[in-house]
Amino acid sequence: MKLLYFGTVCNMSSYENLLKDCNSRPTVATIVFETALLAGFRDNDMDVTVHSFPMVPTFPKTRTMYFGGEKETLASGYSCRWLKTINLPLLKQWSRNIDARRIIKKWIKQNGRDGIILTYSFPPFLTKTIVKLARKYKV
């Protein structure tokens, strides 16, 4: 069984680098939990495709206006790609939704009904898209 996973997981060093000019620091508890969750998937030989939407405050609380598309190898051994993000109010959620929608459609075409789409939380920008496409393609 193949799994498409969306979460906030990322390498702590990459995350700290992204937050270096940030006025406020989000919690890292979700990253720690998701790292353990993915390690469990790896221990059970799951085929997982990971995409991340790191929790970063919106501009101007951080100087980063755009990020995403980066690929990195996580502690669990899985490869992860960050969703492309325009880090401005409203555009942040919209840009992530557009990128996630493209990823989901491509993944479904490659894997058909043999897969599962999972997200750690219920991010508003992503939940409706996942439900709609999963129903449409019977995933």
Side-chain angles (χ1 to χ4, degrees):
M1 177 93 27
K2 295 185 179 197
L3 177 70
L4 175 61
Y5 181 82
F6 289 96
T8 61
V9 66
C10 56
N11 282 331
M12 290 304 291
S13 59
S14 300
Y15 191 57
E16 288 295 325
N17 189 39
L18 186 63
L19 295 177
K20 68 183 174 196
D21 296 324
C22 199
N23 294 340
S24 62
R25 299 274 181 175
T27 181
V28 296
T30 57
I31 296 171
V32 173
F33 174 79
E34 290 179 68
T35 299
L37 180 65
L38 290 172
F41 289 152
R42 182 203 58 229
D43 291 346
N44 287 288
D45 297 322
M46 294 281 299
D47 182 0
V48 182
T49 303
V50 182
H51 291 276
S52 181
F53 48 95
M55 294 184 296
V56 177
T58 305
F59 183 85
K61 290 183 180 178
T62 183
R63 294 184 182 150
T64 305
M65 294 283 291
Y66 176 83
F67 63 92
E70 292 91 355
K71 292 181 181 177
E72 61 185 358
T73 301
L74 301 173
S76 62
Y78 290 116
S79 177
C80 173
R81 182 185 160 278
W82 291 14
L83 293 180
K84 295 177 183 175
T85 304
I86 300 170
N87 201 24
L88 295 169
L90 300 175
L91 292 178
K92 181 177 191 174
Q93 307 304 331
W94 176 81
S95 61
R96 287 178 169 182
N97 181 285
I98 296 298
D99 196 26
R101 179 182 306 271
R102 181 189 58 76
I103 290 165
I104 293 168
K105 285 182 176 181
K106 182 179 176 183
W107 186 83
I108 288 172
K109 284 181 183 178
Q110 291 174 345
N111 297 292
R113 294 183 185 178
D114 293 332
I116 297 171
I117 301 172
L118 176 67
T119 182
Y120 165 68
S121 60
F122 294 105
F125 73 90
L126 188 56
T127 303
K128 187 175 180 180
T129 299
I130 288 175
V131 171
K132 182 179 175 183
L133 293 174
R135 283 182 181 162
K136 180 178 179 180
Y137 296 104
K138 297 179 177 39
V139 174

